[in-house]
Amino acid sequence: GQQVMQIPQYQHVQEGEDFTTYCNSSTTLSNIQWYKQRPGGHPVFLIQLVKSGEVKKQKRLTFQFGEAKKNSSLHITATQTTDVGTYFCAGRGSNQFYFGTGTSLTVIP
Amino acid sequence: DAGITQSPRYKITETGRQVTLMCHQTWSHSYMFWYRQDLGHGLRLIYYSAAADITDKGEVPDGYVVSRSKTENFPLTLESATRSQTSVYFCASRPGTGSLDTIYFGEGSWLTVV
């Protein structure tokens, strides 16, 4: 069945360092979404990528969709304490979205 | 923005008891979902519904029952709760097929089965 794997599971970074999380699917995705969940909160939509090779930026966040539409990445430049949380990718297969296992980011001040 | 609400937010129940988690959305979204979130497993889809009276199994449906008699409500029932069902449950919704089909999550229901 559909599988979306995400690495790393945990990441601790010093404030100001960069951070990247990777998402890989066993099958081709029609699109991919990224969500952020603050500690104790619920996932909140960040962005959607649809086109092969697409790159989108939101301030310090850069999202990329692979050429084969099977992988994606989220890169945060110069992390801040407000970036703390768990980042999920969600790949759309034939009918539904399948969430990755998430990457929990800790930012050390 | 309280477009999607869950109740109860916190619940402790005993093994073997029936528990129902309620979910209500005010957007008239076509799709509704139930996910459970456990450490190391991320968000796993339990059941989803594409419209009223239409429901489908997700990745981990065993031990759960859903119904959707009205578009705005999507209750999740644990027929006989087990300790392995201790989890955080998120209800979610999205408008339907379209170019941007954002999933909106409720605040979550923390369920402990003792």
Side-chain angles (χ1 to χ4, degrees):
Chain A
Q2 183 86 40
Q3 280 198 340
V4 177
M5 305 302 293
Q6 199 172 343
I7 56 170
Q9 190 172 355
Y10 303 97
Q11 184 80 57
H12 292 67
V13 298
Q14 207 68 38
E15 188 173 16
E17 291 182 338
D18 292 356
F19 159 77
T20 304
T21 175
Y22 301 90
C23 187
N24 293 287
S25 170
S26 55
T27 59
T28 302
L29 303 169
S30 56
N31 64 40
I32 196 157
Q33 297 180 348
W34 285 91
Y35 291 78
K36 177 182 179 180
Q37 183 179 23
R38 294 184 186 277
H42 60 279
V44 175
F45 175 81
L46 291 176
I47 208 162
Q48 175 171 287
L49 304 170
V50 179
K51 300 176 184 175
S52 169
E54 188 171 12
V55 178
K56 286 188 176 180
K57 293 191 176 184
Q58 287 180 349
K59 298 182 180 178
R60 294 178 294 103
L61 278 62
T62 301
F63 304 84
Q64 188 167 5
F65 201 9
E67 293 290 340
K69 301 184 78 172
K70 284 188 173 183
N71 57 74
S72 182
S73 65
L74 157 60
H75 180 80
I76 302 178
T77 303
T79 54
Q80 299 175 359
T81 54
T82 54
D83 295 325
V84 164
T86 300
Y87 293 85
F88 291 97
C89 61
R92 179 159 187 176
S94 57
N95 192 28
Q96 288 306 326
F97 282 95
Y98 297 89
F99 281 81
T101 46
T103 295
S104 175
L105 173 64
T106 300
V107 179
I108 305 164
Chain B
D1 186 344
I4 182 164
T5 55
Q6 295 182 228
S7 63
R9 294 291 315 281
Y10 305 93
K11 175 79 175 177
I12 300 174
T13 191
E14 294 178 338
T15 301
R17 290 197 180 263
Q18 183 179 81
V19 176
T20 295
L21 305 179
M22 305 300 292
C23 180
H24 176 80
Q25 53 110 351
T26 59
W27 296 309
S28 298
H29 284 172
S30 298
Y31 283 86
M32 294 189 76
F33 310 86
W34 276 105
Y35 291 90
R36 61 177 289 174
Q37 184 173 28
D38 306 287
L39 203 61
H41 291 279
L43 291 158
R44 291 184 291 176
L45 182 63
I46 304 171
Y47 270 96
Y48 67 99
S49 168
D53 297 321
I54 300 174
T55 61
D56 275 301
K57 294 179 180 179
E59 303 167 71
V60 288
D62 293 344
Y64 303 95
V65 174
V66 293
S67 62
R68 194 159 177 215
S69 57
K70 294 184 178 181
T71 301
E72 61 266 31
N73 296 323
F74 191 40
L76 174 74
T77 298
L78 287 66
E79 294 184 296
S80 178
T82 64
R83 289 195 179 89
S84 65
Q85 292 178 309
T86 292
S87 185
V88 182
Y89 291 86
F90 286 101
C91 180
S93 70
R94 69 174 172 90
T97 54
S99 59
L100 182 62
D101 40 9
T102 304
I103 300 172
Y104 297 88
F105 286 83
E107 301 275 319
S109 294
W110 272 253
L111 177 68
T112 300
V113 182
V114 297

